Amino acid sequence: MDKQDSIYVAGHRGLVGSAILRKLEREGYRNLIYRSSSELDLRDSRQTMAFFQEHSIDYVFLAAAKVGGIAANNEYPADFIRDNLMIQTNVIEAAYRTNVKKLLFLGSTCIYPKLAPQPLKEEYLLTGELEPTNEPYAIAKIAGIKMCQSYNRQYGTRFISAMPTNMYGPNDNFNLHTSHVLPALIRKFHEAKENRLPSVEVWGTGNPRREFLHSDDLAEACLFLMNHYEDSEIVNIGVGEDISIRELAEKIRDIVGYDGDIVFNPSIPDGTPRKLVDVAKINRLGWKAKIGLDNGLRSVYDAFRQDDLVKQ
Ligand code: GDP
């Protein structure tokens, strides 16, 4: 990417897209294009095509998606499969038709089989059954990968796909009903401390293990891949280490400074037991995560507290 190339960040208000946009701005890219979903509904193929035709876009970061935690995936499975299939189909097709030079499609590690060996290597894709709690979302993401690969094969496009592990960072979703575990626990422990509650409920058994990648690290990896990776095969983005939900809860409790109890609720599903990605491929290509979980959590909690003060 040259500094004057026109670069479209789809999903710039979300956790991932906003981090990519900040990184591009910091690196001096000058011709950045973005639209909120009320200005451009990517589920609408006509609007999407018209937007691409109007703007002569060189590069696309496809970070627009309907995302959510375990409860949201369970409650709105139709929305997750439909919206994601529509958004990615419209953007990929429009990018092909308007001769976009390169597109980066962002998937997720839930594309890997529920019981795949750990750490998850890229070649485990489509070797077994998916985790049922987010299967519709995962199927949409797998379709996106296959679309990119098929367009490359048939039309000679350069559409690459990256699979980030669980992420956190600024602009995360802190809504307890729809969020992922890390922002949910920050909010729960913070509110329990403020309101002097005796305990905090953590869903599931606390035994599942998850890996957490800061969105600034992810953004750096995305720019790195856009500039250096050409292959159709997927690439994992992660830190290469995971922790249990119990350990995460204890860490967040300490950072927040809450001294009540943690109560697990095993009647809520655990989801997949573990999803640690193998990062050997991206490390070999020359990129490594830099932000440790303790520092990342502290910075996210500081930002959350600032927002909370502003709201009061
Ligand atoms: P997943 O990684 O796709 O399973 O999505 P989540 O981030 O929503 O959940 C990760 C794990 O954290 C699951 O085992 C959840 O049951 C567990 N968990 C514990 N407490 C919470 C919570 O308050 N919210 C969410 N979303 N997950 C929680």
Side-chain angles (χ1 to χ4, degrees):
M1 289 184 296
D2 287 328
K3 301 290 182 208
Q4 69 283 355
D5 283 334
S6 70
I7 304 171
Y8 171 44
V9 181
H12 75 285
R13 288 214 170 138
L15 173 65
V16 175
S18 65
I20 293 175
L21 193 59
R22 283 198 303 277
K23 178 75 180 159
L24 287 165
E25 281 167 347
R26 243 181 284 134
E27 298 280 312
Y29 291 93
R30 292 189 294 271
N31 193 357
L32 304 176
I33 304 174
Y34 43 88
R35 293 287 180 278
S36 66
S37 53
S38 56
E39 293 166 325
L40 169 63
D41 184 353
L42 294 171
R43 295 170 303 178
D44 182 320
S45 60
R46 281 197 196 167
Q47 270 188 44
T48 307
M49 190 64 78
F51 168 77
F52 272 79
Q53 277 163 346
E54 193 182 324
H55 288 283
S56 140
I57 293 162
D58 296 309
Y59 293 89
V60 176
F61 288 91
L62 179 37
K66 180 161 185 72
V67 297
I70 194 161
N73 269 275
N74 213 22
E75 197 164 335
Y76 311 110
D79 296 358
F80 276 85
I81 190 162
R82 182 200 55 227
D83 287 4
N84 286 308
L85 282 173
M86 290 202 293
I87 292 168
Q88 68 205 30
T89 301
N90 292 339
V91 172
I92 290 169
E93 172 69 6
Y96 154 59
R97 292 212 178 251
T98 58
N99 299 313
V100 161
K101 289 183 187 152
K102 199 164 177 182
L103 174 148
L104 170 63
F105 172 67
L106 282 150
S108 156
T109 51
C110 65
I111 56 142
Y112 291 115
K114 178 182 171 106
L115 299 176
Q118 308 279 326
L120 298 159
K121 292 184 195 301
E122 285 86 353
E123 62 258 34
Y124 298 161
L125 175 63
L126 291 174
T127 55
E129 288 193 15
L130 298 166
E131 154 61 34
T133 51
N134 53 22
E135 190 186 63
Y137 174 79
I139 296 269
K141 289 293 181 185
I142 293 170
I145 297 168
K146 291 295 161 191
M147 269 190 89
C148 289
Q149 293 174 341
S150 305
Y151 276 58
N152 293 347
R153 223 172 74 211
Q154 186 177 339
Y155 301 132
T157 47
R158 290 198 301 164
F159 295 167
I160 61 173
S161 303
M163 300 305 122
T165 192
N166 291 33
M167 282 165 296
Y168 68 101
N171 300 316
D172 209 339
N173 169 14
F174 286 90
N175 174 323
L176 291 181
H177 189 56
T178 55
S179 69
H180 284 100
V181 61
L182 189 151
L185 293 187
I186 287 184
R187 179 165 182 180
K188 284 182 179 177
F189 281 108
H190 176 76
E191 290 181 353
K193 182 184 171 189
E194 296 284 287
N195 301 315
R196 299 175 204 279
L197 302 181
S199 64
V200 163
E201 185 191 78
V202 176
W203 297 350
T205 60
N207 297 328
R209 299 183 70 84
R210 294 289 184 274
E211 177 182 7
F212 297 98
L213 174 71
H214 194 283
S215 57
D216 286 343
D217 263 341
L218 173 78
E220 188 184 79
C222 289
L223 266 68
F224 173 82
L225 291 173
M226 196 62 120
N227 281 320
H228 300 289
Y229 188 69
E230 294 294 331
D231 207 276
S232 273
E233 293 307 320
I234 60 175
V235 188
N236 290 334
I237 307 178
V239 288
E241 277 172 33
D242 62 0
I243 64 169
S244 70
I245 298 301
R246 176 188 300 275
E247 288 164 321
L248 177 74
E250 288 166 355
K251 232 183 227 307
I252 294 177
R253 177 180 63 182
D254 293 348
I255 286 171
V256 170
Y258 170 69
D259 50 19
D261 294 331
I262 297 175
V263 177
F264 291 95
N265 180 352
S267 71
I268 302 181
D270 272 344
T272 200
R274 196 177 181 199
K275 46 178 171 180
L276 174 66
V277 294
D278 188 313
V279 286
K281 182 168 176 178
I282 195 161
N283 290 169
R284 235 179 6 253
L285 290 167
W287 183 84
K288 224 174 167 3
K290 298 181 184 67
I291 304 171
L293 184 56
D294 290 281
N295 286 339
L297 277 175
R298 261 183 228 109
S299 74
V300 167
Y301 181 52
D302 285 345
F304 177 82
R305 239 181 347 189
Q306 293 295 330
D307 281 358
D308 201 49
L309 285 175
V310 171
K311 274 185 222 137
Q312 279 170 14

